[in-house]
Amino acid sequence: MSCEEEVVKIGKKLEKMIANNSTDHSSASDLLKKLKDIKMNLNVLQKTRIGMTVNNFRKASKDEEVISVAKSLIKGWKKLLPAGDSSSSQGAAKVERKDSSNGDTQTLSQSAGNSPSSEEKSADNMAADGAFSSCTAANTSDPTRLKCRELLANALKVTEGLDGMGDPENIAGHIEEYIFNEFDNTNTKYKNRVRSRVANLRDLKNPQLRENVLLGLIAPEKIAKMTAEEMASDDMQELRRKYTKQSIDDHHMATTSGTRSDLFKCGKCGKKNTTYTQLQTRSSDEPMTTFVFCNECGNRWKFC
């Protein structure tokens, strides 16, 4: 059995225990210890999403030993991220900024790296192979950018039990920095991009996205550019696929099962190249409803 297959097998067992609210701490501890003995790599970690499963199990468990082993696993896996110095920040630097609207001076706490090189890294070097770097995001005194960072950080904090995960403020700073670097301005496009990140990260029905960002499985550079479809939860993506298939089927039915006719004129393109179908949508004593499809421009309408 390959490493990936073994991790998937253990992950499924843990998920089953979470779903069944199992209290078999000895079995859980054995599974976590097996994971600890497996030689994990970044590829397997990202493919199996075992980090999320272990973290969910940690939050669901009441056993101190299980919680401790789970935390240890998550911290160990974070070291697999190829992001240079993983020691994170140990000091705190205070940056003062002056609010242009009222002249008040506000203090912003920010983590400072151990070595000067971590501060000098460019935004392009903050992510290697799609993994999050632990270096601190660049400073800014722009009130709009600071507010956006605050909103992103609060969205990431919606998840409870952040032990063993990334620092929401630092990750939010990186996300905002990538968005700002793309537009080089705090214009409408910049604000809309930030708003869409905040909305999706705050979504209580999509905790997977939030945890992937906090665990570093989705790098700040990637989340800064993801589309709404890419950020959507698995349930939402499945629902969209269902609606897309339904639309394709409806289109197929209109063009293959209907009757071609020039009796109807399209109100959109003015052509009479149409196909129509009739369905009994009301009571049996009512006339059938005619659905018309324009073969020229794809317009649809109901003819009563």
Side-chain angles (χ1 to χ4, degrees):
M1 184 183 294
S2 67
C3 172
E4 184 177 335
E5 290 173 341
E6 190 172 357
V7 171
V8 169
K9 185 177 179 181
I10 295 174
K12 287 181 178 178
K13 288 182 179 179
L14 290 173
E15 288 172 355
K16 188 175 180 180
M17 293 178 74
I18 295 172
N20 296 335
N21 197 20
S22 173
T23 57
D24 189 354
H25 302 306
S26 60
S27 297
S29 183
D30 289 341
L31 290 173
L32 293 176
K33 286 176 181 176
K34 282 183 181 179
L35 282 174
K36 205 166 187 177
D37 293 335
I38 294 174
K39 192 174 181 180
M40 188 70 69
N41 59 59
L42 184 60
N43 185 46
V44 172
L45 188 64
Q46 291 177 326
K47 279 187 176 181
T48 61
R49 296 182 178 178
I50 190 65
M52 277 181 45
T53 303
V54 171
N55 190 57
N56 289 336
F57 192 83
R58 174 187 66 80
K59 290 189 287 186
S61 177
K62 304 294 183 183
D63 185 80
E64 290 298 327
E65 182 185 355
V66 170
I67 293 172
S68 177
V69 175
K71 284 183 179 180
S72 175
L73 275 171
I74 293 172
K75 287 180 181 179
W77 289 338
K78 284 185 69 179
K79 295 177 182 178
L80 295 174
L81 304 179
D85 185 5
S86 61
S87 60
S88 177
S89 54
Q90 294 183 355
K94 291 188 176 180
V95 181
E96 291 188 346
R97 67 177 177 87
K98 201 167 186 178
D99 192 310
S100 57
S101 61
N102 54 23
D104 293 338
T105 300
Q106 298 181 359
T107 301
L108 177 69
S109 294
Q110 180 176 322
S111 300
N114 286 333
S115 61
S117 60
S118 66
E119 297 177 353
E120 294 169 359
K121 287 183 180 178
S122 65
D124 292 336
N125 294 327
M126 287 178 183
D129 298 331
F132 172 58
S133 171
S134 60
C135 59
T136 307
N139 297 339
T140 179
S141 58
D142 186 311
T144 300
R145 294 187 63 191
L146 289 170
K147 183 62 178 178
C148 288
R149 291 187 181 193
E150 180 185 344
L151 291 171
L152 287 164
N154 289 338
L156 288 168
K157 291 176 183 177
V158 171
T159 294
E160 296 181 357
L162 298 176
D163 297 339
M165 293 191 182
D167 175 21
E169 281 81 8
N170 193 23
I171 296 174
H174 282 295
I175 296 172
E176 185 279 331
E177 188 172 357
Y178 282 118
I179 296 174
F180 178 79
N181 287 341
E182 180 179 346
F183 297 105
D184 198 24
N185 202 328
T186 55
N187 54 20
T188 303
K189 289 184 178 180
Y190 162 89
K191 291 176 182 177
N192 287 340
R193 180 70 66 84
V194 172
R195 286 193 192 103
S196 67
R197 308 307 98 171
V198 171
N200 281 278
L201 288 170
R202 286 183 63 86
D203 188 358
L204 296 178
K205 295 181 180 179
N206 194 11
Q208 182 176 318
L209 175 68
R210 205 160 43 248
E211 293 187 8
N212 276 345
V213 173
L214 287 167
L215 287 169
L217 299 180
I218 297 179
E221 182 180 18
K222 184 176 180 180
I223 186 70
K225 297 181 179 180
M226 288 172 73
T227 63
E229 289 75 15
E230 290 172 334
M231 290 187 289
S233 64
D234 291 341
D235 290 340
M236 181 58 70
Q237 290 183 19
E238 181 60 34
L239 187 62
R240 284 173 178 163
R241 283 193 289 269
K242 180 181 176 182
Y243 284 145
T244 300
K245 184 178 183 302
Q246 183 177 342
S247 298
I248 293 172
D249 290 344
D250 289 344
H251 176 80
H252 183 71
M253 181 189 74
T255 56
T256 61
S257 302
T259 304
R260 282 184 172 272
S261 172
D262 59 359
L263 296 175
F264 305 97
K265 183 178 180 180
C266 177
K268 191 173 182 180
C269 69
K271 303 290 180 64
K272 289 187 176 182
N273 180 12
T274 61
T275 301
Y276 73 91
T277 54
Q278 290 184 316
L279 298 174
Q280 188 69 53
T281 59
R282 293 171 288 185
S283 58
S284 58
D285 59 336
E286 294 287 335
M288 298 180 74
T289 303
T290 302
F291 296 92
V292 188
F293 174 79
C294 178
N295 298 316
E296 297 287 342
C297 66
N299 185 31
R300 300 170 186 269
W301 70 94
K302 183 167 64 175
F303 183 84
C304 299

mmCIF file of all heavy atoms in Angstrom, residues 24-48:
data_model
loop_
_atom_site.group_PDB
_atom_site.id
_atom_site.type_symbol
_atom_site.label_atom_id
_atom_site.label_comp_id
_atom_site.label_asym_id
_atom_site.label_seq_id
_atom_site.Cartn_x
_atom_site.Cartn_y
_atom_site.Cartn_z
ATOM 1 N N ASP A 24 -13.999 6.204 21.319
ATOM 2 C CA ASP A 24 -12.945 5.190 21.404
ATOM 3 C C ASP A 24 -11.579 5.869 21.270
ATOM 4 O O ASP A 24 -10.990 5.943 20.197
ATOM 5 C CB ASP A 24 -13.142 4.155 20.295
ATOM 6 C CG ASP A 24 -12.203 2.955 20.470
ATOM 7 O OD1 ASP A 24 -11.352 3.012 21.382
ATOM 8 O OD2 ASP A 24 -12.322 1.989 19.702
ATOM 9 N N HIS A 25 -11.080 6.405 22.401
ATOM 10 C CA HIS A 25 -9.852 7.186 22.385
ATOM 11 C C HIS A 25 -8.621 6.353 22.031
ATOM 12 O O HIS A 25 -7.690 6.854 21.416
ATOM 13 C CB HIS A 25 -9.640 7.851 23.752
ATOM 14 C CG HIS A 25 -10.769 8.735 24.145
ATOM 15 N ND1 HIS A 25 -11.242 9.752 23.343
ATOM 16 C CD2 HIS A 25 -11.530 8.761 25.283
ATOM 17 C CE1 HIS A 25 -12.245 10.359 23.965
ATOM 18 N NE2 HIS A 25 -12.447 9.777 25.129
ATOM 19 N N SER A 26 -8.635 5.075 22.420
ATOM 20 C CA SER A 26 -7.469 4.231 22.137
ATOM 21 C C SER A 26 -7.305 4.019 20.631
ATOM 22 O O SER A 26 -6.199 4.093 20.104
ATOM 23 C CB SER A 26 -7.611 2.884 22.856
ATOM 24 O OG SER A 26 -8.784 2.209 22.426
ATOM 25 N N SER A 27 -8.433 3.751 19.936
ATOM 26 C CA SER A 27 -8.371 3.573 18.483
ATOM 27 C C SER A 27 -7.932 4.854 17.792
ATOM 28 O O SER A 27 -7.127 4.836 16.858
ATOM 29 C CB SER A 27 -9.737 3.148 17.944
ATOM 30 O OG SER A 27 -10.116 1.902 18.475
ATOM 31 N N ALA A 28 -8.464 5.986 18.271
ATOM 32 C CA ALA A 28 -8.106 7.285 17.683
ATOM 33 C C ALA A 28 -6.633 7.566 17.874
ATOM 34 O O ALA A 28 -5.941 8.019 16.961
ATOM 35 C CB ALA A 28 -8.949 8.388 18.316
ATOM 36 N N SER A 29 -6.151 7.288 19.067
ATOM 37 C CA SER A 29 -4.737 7.533 19.361
ATOM 38 C C SER A 29 -3.835 6.665 18.495
ATOM 39 O O SER A 29 -2.808 7.125 17.992
ATOM 40 C CB SER A 29 -4.469 7.255 20.842
ATOM 41 O OG SER A 29 -3.129 7.545 21.169
ATOM 42 N N ASP A 30 -4.247 5.415 18.268
ATOM 43 C CA ASP A 30 -3.472 4.496 17.420
ATOM 44 C C ASP A 30 -3.413 4.998 15.980
ATOM 45 O O ASP A 30 -2.365 4.936 15.326
ATOM 46 C CB ASP A 30 -4.083 3.089 17.455
ATOM 47 C CG ASP A 30 -3.873 2.402 18.805
ATOM 48 O OD1 ASP A 30 -2.977 2.857 19.547
ATOM 49 O OD2 ASP A 30 -4.612 1.448 19.092
ATOM 50 N N LEU A 31 -4.546 5.510 15.485
ATOM 51 C CA LEU A 31 -4.595 6.028 14.120
ATOM 52 C C LEU A 31 -3.685 7.240 13.953
ATOM 53 O O LEU A 31 -2.958 7.368 12.960
ATOM 54 C CB LEU A 31 -6.035 6.404 13.749
ATOM 55 C CG LEU A 31 -7.021 5.243 13.556
ATOM 56 C CD1 LEU A 31 -8.440 5.765 13.368
ATOM 57 C CD2 LEU A 31 -6.623 4.392 12.348
ATOM 58 N N LEU A 32 -3.722 8.128 14.944
ATOM 59 C CA LEU A 32 -2.885 9.329 14.880
ATOM 60 C C LEU A 32 -1.401 8.974 14.970
ATOM 61 O O LEU A 32 -0.566 9.588 14.301
ATOM 62 C CB LEU A 32 -3.266 10.295 16.002
ATOM 63 C CG LEU A 32 -4.659 10.926 15.899
ATOM 64 C CD1 LEU A 32 -4.962 11.782 17.115
ATOM 65 C CD2 LEU A 32 -4.785 11.759 14.635
ATOM 66 N N LYS A 33 -1.078 7.960 15.781
ATOM 67 C CA LYS A 33 0.315 7.535 15.897
ATOM 68 C C LYS A 33 0.798 6.882 14.602
ATOM 69 O O LYS A 33 1.967 6.997 14.229
ATOM 70 C CB LYS A 33 0.467 6.579 17.076
ATOM 71 C CG LYS A 33 0.396 7.300 18.433
ATOM 72 C CD LYS A 33 0.439 6.341 19.597
ATOM 73 C CE LYS A 33 0.339 7.083 20.925
ATOM 74 N NZ LYS A 33 0.295 6.173 22.084
ATOM 75 N N LYS A 34 -0.125 6.189 13.902
ATOM 76 C CA LYS A 34 0.234 5.620 12.594
ATOM 77 C C LYS A 34 0.577 6.730 11.611
ATOM 78 O O LYS A 34 1.519 6.622 10.821
ATOM 79 C CB LYS A 34 -0.921 4.783 12.048
ATOM 80 C CG LYS A 34 -1.054 3.413 12.676
ATOM 81 C CD LYS A 34 -2.181 2.628 12.017
ATOM 82 C CE LYS A 34 -2.335 1.249 12.655
ATOM 83 N NZ LYS A 34 -3.457 0.496 12.022
ATOM 84 N N LEU A 35 -0.219 7.807 11.669
ATOM 85 C CA LEU A 35 0.046 8.957 10.809
ATOM 86 C C LEU A 35 1.407 9.573 11.122
ATOM 87 O O LEU A 35 2.130 10.024 10.234
ATOM 88 C CB LEU A 35 -1.048 10.020 10.978
ATOM 89 C CG LEU A 35 -2.382 9.775 10.276
ATOM 90 C CD1 LEU A 35 -3.395 10.841 10.669
ATOM 91 C CD2 LEU A 35 -2.199 9.755 8.762
ATOM 92 N N LYS A 36 1.745 9.570 12.407
ATOM 93 C CA LYS A 36 3.017 10.149 12.829
ATOM 94 C C LYS A 36 4.191 9.331 12.303
ATOM 95 O O LYS A 36 5.277 9.864 12.027
ATOM 96 C CB LYS A 36 3.070 10.222 14.362
ATOM 97 C CG LYS A 36 3.996 11.288 14.901
ATOM 98 C CD LYS A 36 3.735 11.522 16.382
ATOM 99 C CE LYS A 36 4.552 12.704 16.879
ATOM 100 N NZ LYS A 36 4.268 12.993 18.304
ATOM 101 N N ASP A 37 3.989 8.015 12.152
ATOM 102 C CA ASP A 37 5.061 7.127 11.673
ATOM 103 C C ASP A 37 5.215 7.168 10.151
ATOM 104 O O ASP A 37 6.242 6.739 9.621
ATOM 105 C CB ASP A 37 4.781 5.679 12.114
ATOM 106 C CG ASP A 37 4.866 5.524 13.626
ATOM 107 O OD1 ASP A 37 5.567 6.343 14.257
ATOM 108 O OD2 ASP A 37 4.224 4.608 14.164
ATOM 109 N N ILE A 38 4.175 7.669 9.464
ATOM 110 C CA ILE A 38 4.233 7.736 7.995
ATOM 111 C C ILE A 38 5.147 8.876 7.571
ATOM 112 O O ILE A 38 5.067 9.977 8.109
ATOM 113 C CB ILE A 38 2.823 7.930 7.403
ATOM 114 C CG1 ILE A 38 1.958 6.698 7.659
ATOM 115 C CG2 ILE A 38 2.894 8.205 5.894
ATOM 116 C CD1 ILE A 38 0.517 6.848 7.237
ATOM 117 N N LYS A 39 5.986 8.623 6.594
ATOM 118 C CA LYS A 39 6.873 9.656 6.065
ATOM 119 C C LYS A 39 6.059 10.544 5.121
ATOM 120 O O LYS A 39 5.931 10.271 3.936
ATOM 121 C CB LYS A 39 8.061 9.025 5.345
ATOM 122 C CG LYS A 39 9.162 10.019 5.024
ATOM 123 C CD LYS A 39 10.372 9.320 4.446
ATOM 124 C CE LYS A 39 11.494 10.325 4.148
ATOM 125 N NZ LYS A 39 12.684 9.663 3.575
ATOM 126 N N MET A 40 5.508 11.618 5.677
ATOM 127 C CA MET A 40 4.614 12.498 4.933
ATOM 128 C C MET A 40 5.405 13.425 4.023
ATOM 129 O O MET A 40 6.528 13.824 4.335
ATOM 130 C CB MET A 40 3.768 13.324 5.913
ATOM 131 C CG MET A 40 2.668 14.133 5.272
ATOM 132 S SD MET A 40 1.327 13.113 4.630
ATOM 133 C CE MET A 40 0.617 12.518 6.175
ATOM 134 N N ASN A 41 4.806 13.774 2.880
ATOM 135 C CA ASN A 41 5.391 14.799 2.015
ATOM 136 C C ASN A 41 4.297 15.791 1.631
ATOM 137 O O ASN A 41 3.103 15.531 1.825
ATOM 138 C CB ASN A 41 6.048 14.197 0.772
ATOM 139 C CG ASN A 41 5.087 13.387 -0.076
ATOM 140 O OD1 ASN A 41 4.084 13.893 -0.558
ATOM 141 N ND2 ASN A 41 5.383 12.091 -0.247
ATOM 142 N N LEU A 42 4.702 16.930 1.092
ATOM 143 C CA LEU A 42 3.760 18.009 0.795
ATOM 144 C C LEU A 42 2.700 17.578 -0.214
ATOM 145 O O LEU A 42 1.520 17.934 -0.091
ATOM 146 C CB LEU A 42 4.516 19.233 0.263
ATOM 147 C CG LEU A 42 3.666 20.483 -0.005
ATOM 148 C CD1 LEU A 42 2.983 20.966 1.256
ATOM 149 C CD2 LEU A 42 4.536 21.598 -0.591
ATOM 150 N N ASN A 43 3.093 16.777 -1.191
ATOM 151 C CA ASN A 43 2.161 16.332 -2.227
ATOM 152 C C ASN A 43 1.026 15.505 -1.631
ATOM 153 O O ASN A 43 -0.147 15.724 -1.923
ATOM 154 C CB ASN A 43 2.911 15.524 -3.288
ATOM 155 C CG ASN A 43 2.020 15.131 -4.449
ATOM 156 O OD1 ASN A 43 1.268 15.950 -4.960
ATOM 157 N ND2 ASN A 43 2.099 13.887 -4.861
ATOM 158 N N VAL A 44 1.379 14.545 -0.769
ATOM 159 C CA VAL A 44 0.373 13.702 -0.120
ATOM 160 C C VAL A 44 -0.503 14.541 0.814
ATOM 161 O O VAL A 44 -1.715 14.361 0.881
ATOM 162 C CB VAL A 44 1.053 12.556 0.664
ATOM 163 C CG1 VAL A 44 0.031 11.785 1.492
ATOM 164 C CG2 VAL A 44 1.779 11.620 -0.287
ATOM 165 N N LEU A 45 0.126 15.470 1.523
ATOM 166 C CA LEU A 45 -0.590 16.337 2.463
ATOM 167 C C LEU A 45 -1.665 17.148 1.745
ATOM 168 O O LEU A 45 -2.785 17.286 2.226
ATOM 169 C CB LEU A 45 0.406 17.272 3.155
ATOM 170 C CG LEU A 45 -0.127 18.120 4.315
ATOM 171 C CD1 LEU A 45 -0.562 17.232 5.465
ATOM 172 C CD2 LEU A 45 0.948 19.083 4.791
ATOM 173 N N GLN A 46 -1.320 17.678 0.568
ATOM 174 C CA GLN A 46 -2.270 18.498 -0.173
ATOM 175 C C GLN A 46 -3.339 17.660 -0.862
ATOM 176 O O GLN A 46 -4.495 18.055 -0.917
ATOM 177 C CB GLN A 46 -1.521 19.343 -1.218
ATOM 178 C CG GLN A 46 -0.644 20.421 -0.581
ATOM 179 C CD GLN A 46 0.143 21.207 -1.613
ATOM 180 O OE1 GLN A 46 0.556 20.656 -2.627
ATOM 181 N NE2 GLN A 46 0.370 22.478 -1.355
ATOM 182 N N LYS A 47 -2.965 16.505 -1.392
ATOM 183 C CA LYS A 47 -3.929 15.657 -2.103
ATOM 184 C C LYS A 47 -4.967 15.053 -1.167
ATOM 185 O O LYS A 47 -6.155 15.008 -1.483
ATOM 186 C CB LYS A 47 -3.192 14.529 -2.839
ATOM 187 C CG LYS A 47 -2.599 14.948 -4.177
ATOM 188 C CD LYS A 47 -2.049 13.723 -4.900
ATOM 189 C CE LYS A 47 -1.538 14.106 -6.289
ATOM 190 N NZ LYS A 47 -1.012 12.919 -7.012
ATOM 191 N N THR A 48 -4.538 14.571 -0.019
ATOM 192 C CA THR A 48 -5.438 13.868 0.901
ATOM 193 C C THR A 48 -6.186 14.803 1.841
ATOM 194 O O THR A 48 -7.185 14.421 2.430
ATOM 195 C CB THR A 48 -4.645 12.862 1.758
ATOM 196 O OG1 THR A 48 -3.668 13.579 2.540
ATOM 197 C CG2 THR A 48 -3.942 11.848 0.873
#
